[in-house]
Amino acid sequence: MTRLSRRDLLLGGTGVLGAFTLGGLVSAKAQAADHSLTIASLDHSILPETMTKGMMSFATDGPPPVLRLKRGQKTSIDVSNALDEASVVHWHGLRIANAMDGVPYLTQHPIEAGQSFRYEFTPPDAGTFWYHPHCNTLEQMSRGLTGMMIVEEDEDPGFDEDLPLNIRDFRLGGDGQFIAFYKARNAARGGTLGTVSTVNWKVAPTFDFAAGSLVRLRLAVTDITRVGTYEITGGEAQVIAIDSNPLPRPVPAKDLILSPGQRADIALRVPDREEEAVTLRLKRRNGDRDLATFRPRGQSLRRELRELKPLKPNPVPEADLANAEVMEFVFGWSPEGDAPQPSICGTLGYTFWSINRKAWPGDLPGPFDPLATLKLGKSYILRLRNESPNAHPIHLHGVSFRLLQSNKRKLPPLVTDTALLLEEETLDVALVADNPGDWAFHCHVIEHQKTGLTGFLRIEA
């Protein structure tokens, strides 16, 4: 007999939200899943000779695993929660069925302590994605719950090696232990930066590759705050995709701005000589930081970037701009500042931010009204207007959109799911409302998300 929590009883137990959890548990017992994740606490060494206590992972013994899927092939992922608190998993950037999107109450009941849930979906797009909790989001992500997901192309583009790079900070003190995950005054501004930069949970790791080989570097910024400028130095490198979508033509891997939630695929030709190291560098006003080093080894394979096959565009529908409806969304501070309501998924205790001057009250059963209702199959232009002096990476679940124009800069015609909205910028993006459901729409600076800069769009027939 399935145990019902006090919250289940408050929600009616066998109602719609209860059915999310019970359905996941029943299906998980039918047959083995393609992948399994266990959300667990652990101690792990980030700084040398120091064990950081109280980290969290999607594995019991180390960093979150890299999940590899095939485009167009159905997959199942069993998620077991070994924490003593609720969690849930969102698959960032994937255009999948709403019930599998992993947003508490909006798409499913939170996965409570000791419970499991089976996610089943068919990824329609190839590229670099990632996954993270959407419950008690700030603390769980800060403790380590960010993992990468790769959806492979139908046709091999021809790389010799493929390296996912999970780029994120941790807020650690000199003793290697966690310090406060945020400061309220920073949450009301640009956010609280981490103190230790890592790649794949390591500080400045070194990776060895065959000299003269072609390597696909998959950068995923899973940090909760940092908007950074990245570059590859010391080797021939080109950006070939942003946020899982191929670029019309490759561009040099320099001055690449990535905000929380964004990804970049880089084609690297490893130098021919062992003394010619390549560096992934984070450019900063207070001094650049080398995040990772790539070293050539052995006799050169003498490959060339031109040997690679171009990545094929993902099947994202093109908006009909001539007949698109314009919808405006205003991002700024909260006009009221009321404290958010207590929630199983945590609260920071503050409301600083809002969309259309309405702050998200917290991850609660609701019901809540959507920010806007879109008609299935119709084209829209979303006008994103930032009233604040702070940048906001705006992420839309379940739907991809194309950048159109800005009042502050020239934009490339990129297809994405996360757009960096600069301070006091107005940005137009276009989409086709092709995926029905209630889709979260929020800033991916997690302090902003958890203090009001969240809502959802409804797509209905």
Side-chain angles (χ1 to χ4, degrees):
M1 182 175 181
T2 303
R3 178 181 64 86
L4 292 180
S5 70
R6 180 175 66 88
R7 184 167 42 263
D8 289 324
L9 295 174
L10 291 173
L11 293 171
T14 57
V16 173
L17 292 174
F20 281 125
T21 302
L22 297 180
L25 288 170
V26 171
S27 65
K29 297 178 180 178
Q31 61 183 24
D34 299 311
H35 304 273
S36 296
L37 300 174
T38 299
I39 307 175
S41 296
L42 74 162
D43 298 338
H44 188 84
S45 179
I46 298 294
L47 297 179
E49 301 179 357
T50 304
M51 293 297 287
T52 299
K53 298 183 180 299
M55 295 188 68
M56 291 181 180
S57 181
F58 291 99
T60 59
D61 58 354
V66 176
L67 300 180
R68 288 190 177 270
L69 314 178
K70 281 284 191 180
R71 193 195 76 81
Q73 292 186 10
K74 186 175 181 179
T75 192
S76 56
I77 305 172
D78 280 347
V79 176
S80 300
N81 183 7
L83 301 176
D84 59 3
E85 61 184 75
S87 192
V88 73
V89 185
H90 167 60
W91 317 99
H92 184 109
L94 288 183
R95 301 185 299 131
I96 55 179
N98 191 245
M100 297 292 110
D101 190 51
V103 179
Y105 302 113
L106 199 63
T107 69
Q108 71 173 91
H109 195 288
I111 307 171
E112 297 194 54
Q115 290 188 341
S116 300
F117 187 87
R118 171 164 290 186
Y119 294 91
E120 295 180 307
F121 52 81
T122 301
D125 304 322
T128 302
F129 303 88
W130 64 293
Y131 60 98
H132 64 83
H134 236 279
C135 184
N136 198 11
T137 316
L138 178 68
E139 180 169 351
Q140 291 186 7
M141 288 180 64
S142 295
R143 291 185 182 275
L145 281 182
T146 63
M148 292 187 65
M149 172 178 283
I150 308 304
V151 181
E152 296 176 351
E153 289 86 4
D154 300 341
E155 184 178 7
D156 183 357
F159 289 96
D160 297 301
E161 293 200 52
D162 185 308
L163 180 63
L165 300 172
N166 185 339
I167 301 170
R168 53 159 303 152
D169 293 351
F170 289 96
R171 281 188 55 78
L172 304 178
D175 61 355
Q177 304 308 310
F178 285 114
I179 58 177
F181 295 129
Y182 75 97
K183 298 178 180 180
R185 65 178 179 272
N186 292 343
R189 296 177 175 85
T192 307
L193 294 173
T195 61
V196 178
S197 295
T198 69
V199 171
N200 298 347
W201 280 27
K202 296 179 180 179
V203 177
T206 297
F207 302 91
D208 290 344
F209 297 118
S213 62
L214 299 180
V215 178
R216 185 173 185 169
L217 303 177
R218 298 179 183 264
L219 282 59
V221 178
T222 74
D223 194 67
I224 65 169
T225 306
R226 186 182 299 277
V227 178
T229 301
Y230 300 84
E231 69 175 6
I232 299 291
T233 64
E236 186 180 0
Q238 298 177 336
V239 182
I240 58 174
I242 296 289
D243 297 338
S244 311
N245 291 283
L247 299 184
R249 62 183 61 85
V251 298
K254 295 183 178 180
D255 297 323
L256 175 61
I257 298 175
L258 295 174
S259 59
Q262 293 196 287
R263 296 86 67 203
D265 288 41
I266 295 175
L268 168 68
R269 187 195 184 275
V270 180
D272 295 308
R273 298 182 297 177
E274 292 190 352
E275 61 270 22
E276 297 178 323
V278 178
T279 301
L280 169 62
R281 180 165 294 162
L282 172 64
K283 301 173 70 173
R284 306 186 307 165
R285 291 181 180 177
N286 58 344
D288 295 347
R289 176 172 294 171
D290 291 347
L291 298 181
T293 300
F294 312 105
R295 298 186 305 191
R297 286 292 178 262
Q299 187 173 356
S300 177
L301 300 183
R302 299 192 179 280
R303 301 225 29 214
E304 299 294 339
L305 288 174
R306 64 174 178 269
E307 299 175 33
L308 295 171
K309 298 175 183 177
L311 301 179
K312 294 183 179 180
N314 287 317
V316 178
E318 285 285 348
D320 178 4
L321 298 182
N323 296 294
E325 180 180 347
V326 178
M327 291 184 167
E328 184 168 293
F329 299 91
V330 178
F331 302 88
W333 286 307
S334 172
E336 297 179 1
D338 296 333
Q341 299 179 45
S343 165
I344 183 178
C345 284
T347 171
L348 304 192
Y350 302 94
T351 297
F352 296 130
W353 298 95
S354 67
I355 303 178
N356 289 348
R357 299 182 177 84
K358 183 176 182 180
W360 183 247
D363 297 311
L364 303 165
F368 299 111
D369 294 328
L371 292 165
T373 298
L374 287 63
K375 291 297 182 181
L376 185 65
K378 187 175 178 180
S379 294
Y380 293 88
I381 294 174
L382 308 186
R383 182 155 293 153
L384 315 180
R385 183 158 61 89
N386 185 4
E387 289 188 330
S388 79
N390 304 110
H392 300 288
I394 302 301
H395 175 49
L396 175 60
H397 291 209
V399 181
S400 294
F401 51 83
R402 185 178 295 278
L403 304 182
L404 292 181
Q405 61 181 5
S406 162
N407 67 333
K408 300 190 72 170
R409 53 184 165 142
K410 184 177 180 179
L411 296 174
L414 297 179
V415 175
T416 180
D417 51 73
T418 307
L420 179 60
L421 187 60
L422 301 178
E423 55 272 18
E424 299 180 349
E425 181 179 31
T426 298
L427 186 70
D428 284 359
V429 303
L431 60 82
V432 177
D434 63 336
N435 200 358
D438 289 343
W439 298 107
F441 187 44
H442 63 88
C443 177
H444 231 285
V445 172
I446 305 301
E447 290 158 271
H448 295 173
Q449 173 193 329
K450 293 296 287 185
T451 57
L453 215 161
T454 303
F456 69 96
L457 304 184
R458 175 168 293 161
I459 297 177
E460 64 179 19

